[in-house]
Amino acid sequence: MFKKIMTKARMQSPWMLHFDCGSCNGCDIEVLACLTPVYDVERFGIINTGNPMHADIFLVTGTVNHRNQKVLRNLYDQIPDPKVVVAIGACGLTGGIFREAWNVIGGVDKVIPVDVYVPGCPAKPEAIIDGVVLGLEKFRGKAETAESISANDFEEEAPCREK
Amino acid sequence: MINKSVLILAGLASGPVLGGVISGFDRILTARFQSRIGPPLLQPFYDVIKLLGKEKVVVNVWQAFCVNAYLTAASIATALFFLRSDLLLILFIQAVGAVFLVVGAFSSTSPYSQAGAHRELLQMLCYEPLLILISVGIYFQTGSFKIESVDAMNQPLLLKLPFLFVVLSFVLTIKLRKSPFDLSTSHHAHQELVKGLLTDYSGPLLALTEIAHWYETVLLLGFCSLFWTTNPIGALLLVGITYLGEIWIDNVSARMNWRWMLGYGWGMGMALSLVNLVWLYAR
Ligand code: SF4
């Protein structure tokens, strides 16, 4: 009973943190478009918090490079559990058109565990909202098994990450 | 005795129940003002329940203590209001709670939290004297600081203290964290300092500050209702219109800086209070 209420509350109130991890800003504009009256994600209780300590959903756009991977990891670690990570755009998924650049590590999942991948260049606002909703479904799973991967577990699995 | 305990219970329940519903209405109305649909009415409850279930990250022990002190003070003040106790006592307890919130924010090293705490102190500097002046006006009129004596009036206070009511609505804007006075922390992410004071409160602690804020909302709206005690419909209308006005002001104005707030708050607030008090005295 208590668990049910908690899961419902979690599904109804995902506060998001948006991090531009070196994107061309195309995807960021689409993320912010979700907050405008046209898409109005506050209908689903989604609020843009801008503060990792308050966030539940972590939206990351753009490629990861050797500089900003520390920031990305830091932000991820500051979000209290349970949390969901959504990688957005071709860049966030694999590095996109920047994947060959000398300083680019690749997609977001090279550094932190990603739950939902939203493709597109740029990803459409509809797709982003879909991704967040899919992420919420994972919340349900996570809330029931009370399981979450920490960044440190992930470290060993990431083959391309430089120490 | 039984009556009293019922009143205390009603006071304690009013924050989490009434405060949450009011906040839900507020969010829907704000969304409509911005031509959005807005969240469901129960959204604030979902938020608080979710926050209570999040991992507990405590920046330092002081902060956790301060949050609890803030919540306790706010709930006691509201319960005392329902008991129709002494106005000065209620204001004093509420102020102690607000100070604890600031101390909690100061105890973290985050610059956002610090800046927010400084601004919250300035806000308190602005509205506390005004609240006291309003109580003094009520004292002049009723001859006592007890809320019971306000209830005993056979004429609405609003007719005698119209300017003081304007001052109260001014205080309300600051206390409810509405623009142009949402300096220290804000509900909307379009400001230069969004969460300020609350930056380092997270998870369950943030939920507690939210509940305490609901208590304060109920308390201040209750304060508003004192200006029309002769019939409940009048009181409800007065509170409703005032609150609508607050939401409207929140949506049409931008955030001002603290100098403007202090200058305007003290200048206008004190002048209006003085005019009202002199008028009462001269009669
Ligand atoms: S996916 Fe396309 S639009 Fe998005 S950040 Fe990369 S290049 Fe820009």
Side-chain angles (χ1 to χ4, degrees):
Chain A
M1 171 71 184
F2 181 72
K3 250 186 187 166
K4 254 190 185 161
I5 296 178
M6 186 57 80
T7 310
K8 168 111 174 115
R10 276 187 186 142
M11 309 265 300
Q12 289 278 342
S13 151
W15 290 1
M16 66 172 234
L17 173 70
H18 166 218
F19 179 51
D20 171 356
C21 198
S23 104
C24 78
N25 277 0
C27 286
D28 302 294
I29 291 171
E30 304 298 329
V31 168
L32 294 179
C34 298
L35 301 165
T36 58
V38 179
Y39 297 100
D40 185 23
V41 287
E42 206 196 352
R43 280 177 299 158
F44 312 119
I46 302 178
I47 295 181
N48 187 5
T49 58
N51 178 357
M53 305 271 287
H54 295 177
D56 309 295
I57 294 219
F58 191 20
L59 303 184
V60 191
T61 56
T63 57
V64 184
N65 59 38
H66 292 291
R67 269 270 170 204
N68 63 24
Q69 60 162 328
K70 294 190 199 80
V71 182
L72 180 64
R73 176 180 297 274
N74 193 357
L75 284 174
Y76 177 81
D77 286 340
Q78 280 187 38
I79 302 178
D81 278 327
K83 54 192 162 192
V84 164
V85 180
V86 181
I88 292 170
C91 294
L93 268 48
T94 60
I97 52 166
F98 304 115
R99 68 187 175 280
E100 312 256 272
W102 59 270
N103 59 339
V104 165
I105 299 178
V108 175
D109 58 1
K110 292 274 167 13
V111 179
I112 58 173
V114 172
D115 296 296
V116 182
Y117 298 86
V118 180
C121 179
K124 282 186 177 178
E126 291 93 336
I128 296 172
I129 296 175
D130 264 359
V132 170
V133 172
L134 202 66
L136 292 182
E137 284 305 320
K138 293 216 164 182
F139 250 148
R140 201 198 294 275
K142 266 189 183 175
E144 272 155 18
T145 54
E147 201 182 82
S148 89
I149 320 158
S150 89
N152 295 340
D153 302 346
F154 201 74
E155 210 163 301
E156 286 108 52
E157 296 164 25
C160 327
R161 226 179 68 75
E162 281 198 349
K163 293 274 171 180
Chain B
M1 190 60 218
I2 297 223
N3 234 343
K4 275 197 174 165
S5 22
V6 169
L7 281 178
I8 292 180
L9 279 182
L12 290 181
S14 69
V17 179
L18 203 60
V21 173
I22 292 174
S23 158
F25 259 119
D26 186 340
R27 284 181 63 176
I28 292 180
L29 269 177
T30 301
R32 295 290 153 92
F33 276 134
Q34 298 167 353
S35 64
R36 293 186 290 118
I37 293 183
L41 181 62
L42 295 182
Q43 187 62 44
F45 296 106
Y46 294 135
D47 289 349
V48 162
I49 294 174
K50 173 206 74 180
L51 285 173
L52 284 174
K54 293 235 2 158
E55 181 192 8
K56 197 167 181 178
V57 182
V58 181
V59 179
N60 64 45
V61 189
W62 251 105
Q63 197 175 42
F65 170 72
C66 288
V67 171
N68 287 305
Y70 173 47
L71 178 63
T72 315
S75 54
I76 291 178
T78 315
L80 281 177
F81 185 86
F82 274 69
L83 276 179
R84 315 311 263 175
S85 172
D86 197 307
L87 263 183
L88 283 184
L89 182 66
I90 293 172
L91 290 183
F92 179 68
I93 293 180
Q94 176 269 329
V96 168
V99 168
F100 267 110
L101 182 67
V102 174
V103 173
F106 268 132
S107 69
S108 104
T109 48
S110 151
Y112 300 109
S113 188
Q114 296 274 334
H118 277 286
R119 290 182 184 184
E120 179 75 9
L121 274 184
L122 286 165
Q123 283 181 204
M124 291 175 65
L125 193 66
C126 184
Y127 73 75
E128 288 294 342
L130 300 182
L131 275 179
I132 301 289
L133 279 175
I134 295 168
S135 314
V136 169
I138 293 179
Y139 173 80
F140 267 14
Q141 190 55 34
T142 62
S144 155
F145 280 116
K146 287 254 176 204
I147 300 181
E148 278 167 353
S149 58
V150 179
D151 292 337
M153 299 274 292
N154 46 15
Q155 212 186 9
L157 270 182
L158 184 63
L159 304 179
K160 292 282 188 283
L161 309 170
F163 292 134
L164 281 178
F165 188 75
V166 176
V167 176
L168 179 61
S169 60
F170 190 87
V171 172
L172 213 58
T173 320
I174 302 180
K175 268 316 267 182
L176 295 179
R177 311 200 183 289
K178 300 284 188 202
S179 286
F181 304 123
D182 52 351
L183 298 173
S184 60
T185 171
S186 136
H187 298 296
H188 311 300
H190 57 211
Q191 314 281 20
E192 103 278 32
L193 185 71
V194 180
K195 278 295 171 194
L197 184 70
L198 300 178
T199 303
D200 270 352
Y201 294 105
S202 70
L205 295 185
L206 187 65
L208 295 187
T209 60
E210 188 62 25
I211 296 174
H213 181 63
W214 291 351
Y215 272 118
E216 287 197 324
T217 308
V218 172
L219 177 65
L220 281 155
L221 291 180
F223 211 126
C224 266
S225 71
L226 289 186
F227 282 76
W228 204 289
T229 42
T230 45
N231 83 27
I233 298 183
L236 221 67
L237 267 180
L238 185 67
V239 170
I241 292 173
T242 316
Y243 199 68
L244 269 184
E246 295 296 342
I247 298 177
W248 180 72
I249 289 179
D250 186 33
N251 279 292
V252 297
S253 57
R255 176 188 278 183
M256 293 295 180
N257 63 20
W258 65 268
R259 282 188 194 83
W260 189 86
M261 178 188 67
L262 266 190
Y264 189 77
W266 277 0
M268 287 281 290
M270 301 245 177
L272 282 177
S273 314
L274 221 71
V275 168
N276 211 149
L277 291 180
V278 168
W279 178 49
L280 278 184
Y281 196 69
R283 245 176 348 109

